Short mmCIF file of all heavy atoms in Angstrom, two decimals:
data_model
loop_
_atom_site.label_atom_id
_atom_site.label_comp_id
_atom_site.label_asym_id
_atom_site.label_seq_id
_atom_site.Cartn_x
_atom_site.Cartn_y
_atom_site.Cartn_z
N PRO A 1 -0.21 -14.09 20.88
CA PRO A 1 0.26 -14.31 22.24
C PRO A 1 1.48 -15.23 22.26
O PRO A 1 1.67 -16.05 21.36
CB PRO A 1 -0.94 -15.00 22.91
CG PRO A 1 -1.62 -15.71 21.78
CD PRO A 1 -1.46 -14.83 20.58
N SER A 2 2.32 -15.09 23.26
CA SER A 2 3.47 -15.99 23.42
C SER A 2 2.97 -17.37 23.82
O SER A 2 2.06 -17.50 24.64
CB SER A 2 4.43 -15.45 24.49
OG SER A 2 4.96 -14.20 24.09
N THR A 3 3.55 -18.39 23.21
CA THR A 3 3.20 -19.77 23.52
C THR A 3 4.48 -20.58 23.66
O THR A 3 5.59 -20.03 23.58
CB THR A 3 2.33 -20.40 22.41
OG1 THR A 3 3.14 -20.57 21.23
CG2 THR A 3 1.13 -19.53 22.07
N GLU A 4 4.32 -21.89 23.84
CA GLU A 4 5.49 -22.76 23.94
C GLU A 4 6.23 -22.88 22.62
O GLU A 4 7.37 -23.33 22.58
CB GLU A 4 5.08 -24.15 24.45
CG GLU A 4 4.19 -24.94 23.52
CD GLU A 4 2.71 -24.66 23.75
OE1 GLU A 4 2.37 -23.58 24.26
OE2 GLU A 4 1.90 -25.54 23.40
N PHE A 5 5.61 -22.46 21.50
CA PHE A 5 6.28 -22.56 20.21
C PHE A 5 6.39 -21.23 19.47
O PHE A 5 6.84 -21.19 18.34
CB PHE A 5 5.55 -23.58 19.30
CG PHE A 5 4.06 -23.42 19.27
CD1 PHE A 5 3.46 -22.44 18.53
CD2 PHE A 5 3.25 -24.27 20.01
CE1 PHE A 5 2.09 -22.28 18.51
CE2 PHE A 5 1.88 -24.13 19.99
CZ PHE A 5 1.30 -23.14 19.25
N TYR A 6 5.98 -20.12 20.11
CA TYR A 6 6.09 -18.81 19.46
C TYR A 6 6.38 -17.73 20.49
O TYR A 6 5.86 -17.74 21.61
CB TYR A 6 4.77 -18.46 18.74
CG TYR A 6 4.73 -17.01 18.28
CD1 TYR A 6 5.34 -16.62 17.10
CD2 TYR A 6 4.12 -16.02 19.06
CE1 TYR A 6 5.33 -15.30 16.68
CE2 TYR A 6 4.10 -14.70 18.66
CZ TYR A 6 4.71 -14.35 17.46
OH TYR A 6 4.71 -13.03 17.08
N ASP A 7 7.24 -16.77 20.08
CA ASP A 7 7.46 -15.58 20.91
C ASP A 7 7.92 -14.45 20.01
O ASP A 7 8.26 -14.64 18.84
CB ASP A 7 8.49 -15.86 22.01
CG ASP A 7 8.46 -14.77 23.10
OD1 ASP A 7 7.39 -14.18 23.31
OD2 ASP A 7 9.50 -14.52 23.74
N SER A 8 7.93 -13.24 20.58
CA SER A 8 8.29 -12.06 19.80
C SER A 8 8.99 -11.04 20.68
O SER A 8 8.91 -11.09 21.92
CB SER A 8 7.04 -11.43 19.19
OG SER A 8 6.17 -10.94 20.22
N SER A 9 9.67 -10.11 20.03
CA SER A 9 10.26 -8.95 20.70
C SER A 9 9.96 -7.72 19.86
O SER A 9 10.02 -7.78 18.62
CB SER A 9 11.78 -9.10 20.85
OG SER A 9 12.10 -10.13 21.75
N HIS A 10 9.62 -6.63 20.53
CA HIS A 10 9.30 -5.38 19.86
C HIS A 10 10.20 -4.29 20.41
O HIS A 10 10.13 -3.96 21.61
CB HIS A 10 7.83 -5.02 20.08
CG HIS A 10 7.39 -3.77 19.36
ND1 HIS A 10 6.24 -3.10 19.66
CD2 HIS A 10 7.97 -3.08 18.34
CE1 HIS A 10 6.12 -2.06 18.87
NE2 HIS A 10 7.16 -2.02 18.07
N PHE A 11 11.06 -3.76 19.56
CA PHE A 11 11.95 -2.65 19.95
C PHE A 11 11.30 -1.37 19.44
O PHE A 11 11.46 -0.99 18.26
CB PHE A 11 13.34 -2.85 19.35
CG PHE A 11 14.02 -4.11 19.81
CD1 PHE A 11 13.80 -5.32 19.15
CD2 PHE A 11 14.86 -4.11 20.91
CE1 PHE A 11 14.41 -6.48 19.57
CE2 PHE A 11 15.47 -5.28 21.34
CZ PHE A 11 15.25 -6.47 20.67
N LYS A 12 10.56 -0.72 20.31
CA LYS A 12 9.82 0.49 19.95
C LYS A 12 10.68 1.71 20.27
O LYS A 12 11.01 1.96 21.44
CB LYS A 12 8.50 0.55 20.70
CG LYS A 12 7.66 1.78 20.37
CD LYS A 12 6.31 1.72 21.03
CE LYS A 12 5.50 2.98 20.75
NZ LYS A 12 5.31 3.20 19.30
N ALA A 13 11.05 2.46 19.23
CA ALA A 13 11.89 3.64 19.43
C ALA A 13 11.11 4.72 20.17
O ALA A 13 10.02 5.12 19.73
CB ALA A 13 12.38 4.16 18.08
N VAL A 14 11.65 5.17 21.29
CA VAL A 14 10.96 6.14 22.14
C VAL A 14 10.85 7.48 21.41
O VAL A 14 11.85 8.03 20.93
CB VAL A 14 11.71 6.32 23.48
CG1 VAL A 14 11.04 7.40 24.34
CG2 VAL A 14 11.75 5.01 24.24
N GLY A 15 9.61 7.99 21.33
CA GLY A 15 9.39 9.30 20.74
C GLY A 15 9.51 9.35 19.23
O GLY A 15 9.57 10.44 18.64
N LYS A 16 9.52 8.19 18.57
CA LYS A 16 9.67 8.13 17.13
C LYS A 16 8.49 7.40 16.49
O LYS A 16 7.82 6.61 17.16
CB LYS A 16 10.98 7.42 16.75
CG LYS A 16 12.24 8.15 17.19
CD LYS A 16 12.46 9.41 16.36
CE LYS A 16 13.79 10.07 16.69
NZ LYS A 16 14.03 11.28 15.87
N PRO A 17 8.25 7.61 15.21
CA PRO A 17 7.17 6.87 14.54
C PRO A 17 7.54 5.40 14.33
O PRO A 17 8.68 4.99 14.60
CB PRO A 17 7.03 7.60 13.20
CG PRO A 17 8.36 8.24 12.97
CD PRO A 17 8.87 8.62 14.33
N GLU A 18 6.60 4.63 13.84
CA GLU A 18 6.79 3.18 13.67
C GLU A 18 7.92 2.85 12.70
O GLU A 18 8.46 1.74 12.74
CB GLU A 18 5.50 2.53 13.19
CG GLU A 18 4.41 2.49 14.24
CD GLU A 18 3.16 1.78 13.74
OE1 GLU A 18 3.11 1.43 12.54
OE2 GLU A 18 2.24 1.58 14.55
N SER A 19 8.26 3.77 11.84
CA SER A 19 9.34 3.51 10.87
C SER A 19 10.70 3.37 11.55
O SER A 19 11.68 3.02 10.89
CB SER A 19 9.40 4.62 9.82
OG SER A 19 9.64 5.88 10.43
N PHE A 20 10.77 3.62 12.86
CA PHE A 20 12.01 3.44 13.61
C PHE A 20 11.98 2.17 14.47
O PHE A 20 12.91 1.90 15.20
CB PHE A 20 12.27 4.65 14.52
CG PHE A 20 12.79 5.86 13.78
CD1 PHE A 20 11.93 6.68 13.08
CD2 PHE A 20 14.14 6.18 13.79
CE1 PHE A 20 12.39 7.79 12.39
CE2 PHE A 20 14.62 7.29 13.11
CZ PHE A 20 13.74 8.10 12.40
N ASP A 21 10.91 1.39 14.36
CA ASP A 21 10.77 0.20 15.20
C ASP A 21 11.39 -1.03 14.56
O ASP A 21 11.52 -1.12 13.33
CB ASP A 21 9.28 -0.09 15.46
CG ASP A 21 8.63 0.95 16.37
OD1 ASP A 21 9.33 1.89 16.79
OD2 ASP A 21 7.42 0.83 16.62
N VAL A 22 11.74 -1.99 15.42
CA VAL A 22 12.25 -3.29 14.98
C VAL A 22 11.39 -4.37 15.63
O VAL A 22 11.08 -4.29 16.82
CB VAL A 22 13.73 -3.49 15.36
CG1 VAL A 22 14.20 -4.91 15.01
CG2 VAL A 22 14.61 -2.45 14.69
N GLY A 23 10.97 -5.36 14.85
CA GLY A 23 10.18 -6.47 15.37
C GLY A 23 10.85 -7.80 15.08
O GLY A 23 11.45 -7.99 14.02
N LEU A 24 10.74 -8.71 16.02
CA LEU A 24 11.31 -10.06 15.87
C LEU A 24 10.25 -11.08 16.24
O LEU A 24 9.60 -10.96 17.28
CB LEU A 24 12.54 -10.21 16.78
CG LEU A 24 13.02 -11.63 17.08
CD1 LEU A 24 13.51 -12.33 15.81
CD2 LEU A 24 14.11 -11.62 18.14
N ARG A 25 10.08 -12.08 15.39
CA ARG A 25 9.18 -13.20 15.67
C ARG A 25 9.95 -14.49 15.49
O ARG A 25 10.71 -14.61 14.52
CB ARG A 25 7.96 -13.18 14.75
CG ARG A 25 7.05 -11.97 14.91
CD ARG A 25 6.00 -11.93 13.82
NE ARG A 25 5.01 -10.89 14.04
CZ ARG A 25 5.15 -9.62 13.67
NH1 ARG A 25 6.25 -9.25 13.05
NH2 ARG A 25 4.20 -8.73 13.90
N VAL A 26 9.73 -15.47 16.36
CA VAL A 26 10.40 -16.76 16.23
C VAL A 26 9.40 -17.88 16.53
O VAL A 26 8.61 -17.78 17.46
CB VAL A 26 11.63 -16.85 17.16
CG1 VAL A 26 11.26 -16.63 18.62
CG2 VAL A 26 12.35 -18.19 16.99
N TRP A 27 9.43 -18.91 15.68
CA TRP A 27 8.59 -20.09 15.85
C TRP A 27 9.49 -21.32 15.99
O TRP A 27 10.43 -21.50 15.20
CB TRP A 27 7.69 -20.31 14.63
CG TRP A 27 6.64 -19.28 14.38
CD1 TRP A 27 5.33 -19.32 14.77
CD2 TRP A 27 6.77 -18.06 13.65
NE1 TRP A 27 4.65 -18.21 14.33
CE2 TRP A 27 5.50 -17.41 13.64
CE3 TRP A 27 7.85 -17.44 12.99
CZ2 TRP A 27 5.29 -16.20 13.00
CZ3 TRP A 27 7.64 -16.23 12.37
CH2 TRP A 27 6.37 -15.61 12.37
N ALA A 28 9.22 -22.17 16.97
CA ALA A 28 9.91 -23.45 17.13
C ALA A 28 8.86 -24.54 16.96
O ALA A 28 8.12 -24.86 17.89
CB ALA A 28 10.56 -23.53 18.51
N LEU A 29 8.79 -25.12 15.75
CA LEU A 29 7.66 -25.95 15.37
C LEU A 29 8.03 -27.37 14.96
O LEU A 29 7.15 -28.14 14.59
CB LEU A 29 6.92 -25.28 14.20
CG LEU A 29 6.37 -23.88 14.46
CD1 LEU A 29 5.90 -23.25 13.15
CD2 LEU A 29 5.23 -23.92 15.46
N GLY A 30 9.30 -27.72 15.04
CA GLY A 30 9.70 -28.99 14.46
C GLY A 30 9.88 -28.83 12.96
O GLY A 30 9.43 -27.85 12.36
N GLU A 31 10.54 -29.81 12.33
CA GLU A 31 10.92 -29.65 10.93
C GLU A 31 9.72 -29.43 10.01
O GLU A 31 9.70 -28.49 9.21
CB GLU A 31 11.72 -30.87 10.47
CG GLU A 31 12.33 -30.71 9.09
CD GLU A 31 13.32 -31.79 8.76
OE1 GLU A 31 13.87 -32.40 9.70
OE2 GLU A 31 13.55 -32.05 7.55
N ALA A 32 8.70 -30.28 10.10
CA ALA A 32 7.55 -30.17 9.20
C ALA A 32 6.76 -28.89 9.46
O ALA A 32 6.35 -28.19 8.53
CB ALA A 32 6.65 -31.38 9.35
N GLY A 33 6.55 -28.57 10.75
CA GLY A 33 5.80 -27.37 11.09
C GLY A 33 6.52 -26.10 10.66
O GLY A 33 5.89 -25.14 10.21
N ALA A 34 7.85 -26.11 10.80
CA ALA A 34 8.62 -24.93 10.39
C ALA A 34 8.56 -24.73 8.88
O ALA A 34 8.45 -23.60 8.40
CB ALA A 34 10.07 -25.08 10.86
N GLU A 35 8.62 -25.83 8.13
CA GLU A 35 8.49 -25.73 6.67
C GLU A 35 7.15 -25.10 6.30
O GLU A 35 7.07 -24.23 5.43
CB GLU A 35 8.60 -27.13 6.04
CG GLU A 35 10.00 -27.71 6.06
CD GLU A 35 10.83 -27.29 4.86
OE1 GLU A 35 10.37 -26.41 4.10
OE2 GLU A 35 11.93 -27.83 4.69
N ALA A 36 6.09 -25.54 6.97
CA ALA A 36 4.75 -25.01 6.68
C ALA A 36 4.66 -23.53 7.03
O ALA A 36 4.07 -22.74 6.29
CB ALA A 36 3.70 -25.82 7.43
N GLN A 37 5.22 -23.14 8.18
CA GLN A 37 5.18 -21.74 8.59
C GLN A 37 5.97 -20.86 7.63
O GLN A 37 5.54 -19.76 7.27
CB GLN A 37 5.73 -21.59 10.01
CG GLN A 37 5.80 -20.15 10.53
CD GLN A 37 4.43 -19.49 10.62
OE1 GLN A 37 3.44 -20.16 10.89
NE2 GLN A 37 4.39 -18.20 10.39
N TYR A 38 7.12 -21.36 7.19
CA TYR A 38 7.93 -20.59 6.24
C TYR A 38 7.18 -20.39 4.92
O TYR A 38 7.16 -19.29 4.36
CB TYR A 38 9.27 -21.28 5.99
CG TYR A 38 10.14 -20.55 5.00
CD1 TYR A 38 10.80 -19.38 5.35
CD2 TYR A 38 10.27 -21.01 3.69
CE1 TYR A 38 11.59 -18.69 4.44
CE2 TYR A 38 11.05 -20.34 2.77
CZ TYR A 38 11.70 -19.18 3.15
OH TYR A 38 12.46 -18.49 2.23
N ARG A 39 6.52 -21.45 4.43
CA ARG A 39 5.74 -21.33 3.20
C ARG A 39 4.59 -20.34 3.38
O ARG A 39 4.24 -19.60 2.45
CB ARG A 39 5.21 -22.69 2.77
CG ARG A 39 6.28 -23.64 2.23
CD ARG A 39 5.65 -24.81 1.49
NE ARG A 39 4.80 -25.61 2.35
CZ ARG A 39 5.23 -26.64 3.06
NH1 ARG A 39 6.50 -27.00 3.01
NH2 ARG A 39 4.40 -27.34 3.82
#
């Protein structure tokens, strides 16, 4: 779910299989939290 520190976007290609989709996720966690999420 979208929260104050996470959101996403899903570009679903109309009439196409999932291999045509694009997904974006972003986390805003502060320096230490971002390091942990990246690991």
Side-chain angles (χ1 to χ4, degrees):
S2 297
T3 69
E4 65 272 24
F5 46 78
Y6 169 82
D7 195 28
S8 65
S9 292
H10 183 196
F11 299 86
K12 181 174 177 57
V14 176
K16 295 289 186 179
E18 290 182 354
S19 60
F20 284 79
D21 291 0
V22 175
L24 162 65
R25 296 171 172 85
V26 58
W27 293 265
L29 300 170
E31 188 169 337
E35 288 274 9
Q37 177 62 33
Y38 178 75
R39 288 195 299 270

